Amino acid sequence: MSVLTSIRKWLAPPVFEADEDKTRVASLLNTVLLFLYATPVVIAVNVIFIPANRPFGLPVSAVLIGTLSAMEYCMRRGYVRTVSLVAVTFLLTLIAFLAYLAGGESRPLNIYYAMVIVSAGLLLGGRSAIVSAVGSAVVVGAMTYAGASGLIAPQTQAPTLAVGSLTYAVGFVLIGVVLRLASNSLRMALEQARRSRADLQVIMLDIDHFKRFN
């Protein structure tokens, strides 16, 4: 098996033959996890342009890569819903931690709060979207209050314009791809529902004198 084939196999979402809904959610979850791998890249760029951020950048990147790899492994083992819940919780916790490092400044991370809500709704259902929206509001309020009250101070320097633009770009691309997959998933679900509700027609034949051949 070539390296390229191995990479394609690793990037491809898992397929669960006996459960189409589980396969659909796994496809969405796989996309979310793959794009979350871009977070260590953003941190690495931040460290390159701002050397003062290195003390936290390298450990955070290592934790991110290890956690995402563990979630990817568990997802392929079939624990799709559990990993979905962990992924949404992990993402919200990560955003809260980054806001803490920024001294409570949450505005640069707003796109990621939106990503949490969208991902929760697609992976876990509508109620989870509401819960994640409330959780995001609580995190934003708490961090903003803590920063304004002087309870937390900035632990890192502000990112450069290039790093900030890269961060927003990653967030927008992720939300766009996830929404695209959600649209395809909804279309497939509607087609399946339409097929399952189709009229069933039965034709009965009565052939005279057929018993003599039976």
Side-chain angles (χ1 to χ4, degrees):
M1 182 181 296
S2 64
V3 176
L4 184 59
T5 302
S6 300
I7 294 176
R8 288 178 178 175
K9 184 178 180 180
W10 181 76
L11 293 176
V15 176
F16 304 96
E17 300 292 346
D19 196 333
E20 292 184 2
D21 186 64
K22 191 174 184 178
T23 300
R24 176 184 61 81
V25 175
S27 178
L28 293 171
L29 177 59
N30 184 65
T31 302
V32 172
L33 293 179
L34 289 178
F35 272 90
L36 282 178
Y37 276 107
T39 305
V41 177
V42 173
I43 294 176
V45 174
N46 191 299
V47 167
I48 292 173
F49 283 92
I50 308 177
N53 293 341
R54 288 176 183 173
F56 90 91
L58 296 179
V60 170
S61 297
V63 171
L64 283 174
I65 294 175
T67 303
L68 292 173
S69 299
M71 287 193 288
E72 186 83 22
Y73 174 79
C74 292
M75 176 192 68
R76 296 182 182 280
R77 298 283 293 180
Y79 302 102
V80 175
R81 184 169 181 81
T82 301
V83 175
S84 298
L85 179 60
V86 172
V88 172
T89 305
F90 173 76
L91 185 55
L92 185 57
T93 304
L94 173 63
I95 295 172
F97 176 70
L98 294 178
Y100 164 77
L101 292 177
E105 180 59 55
S106 295
R107 283 178 297 177
L109 302 170
N110 286 342
I111 186 66
Y112 287 99
Y113 288 112
M115 186 173 65
V116 170
I117 299 171
V118 171
S119 299
L122 294 175
L123 297 174
L124 299 170
R127 291 184 179 179
S128 298
I130 296 175
V131 172
S132 64
V134 173
S136 298
V138 171
V139 170
V140 171
M143 288 299 171
T144 302
Y145 173 79
S149 302
L151 298 177
I152 56 177
Q155 306 295 314
T156 62
Q157 296 184 15
T160 63
L161 179 61
V163 175
S165 300
L166 177 61
T167 301
Y168 277 109
V170 172
F172 280 124
V173 170
L174 175 57
I175 291 180
V177 171
V178 171
L179 289 177
R180 173 64 178 174
L181 290 176
S183 176
N184 293 340
S185 177
L186 178 60
R187 177 176 53 80
M188 294 173 60
L190 291 174
E191 290 179 355
Q192 183 177 359
R194 186 164 52 248
R195 288 197 303 266
S196 62
R197 294 178 182 177
D199 295 334
L200 178 63
Q201 299 180 359
V202 178
I203 299 176
M204 298 181 65
L205 298 176
D206 183 12
I207 304 177
D208 294 335
H209 311 295
F210 189 76
K211 289 184 178 181
R212 69 180 65 178
F213 301 101
N214 187 2

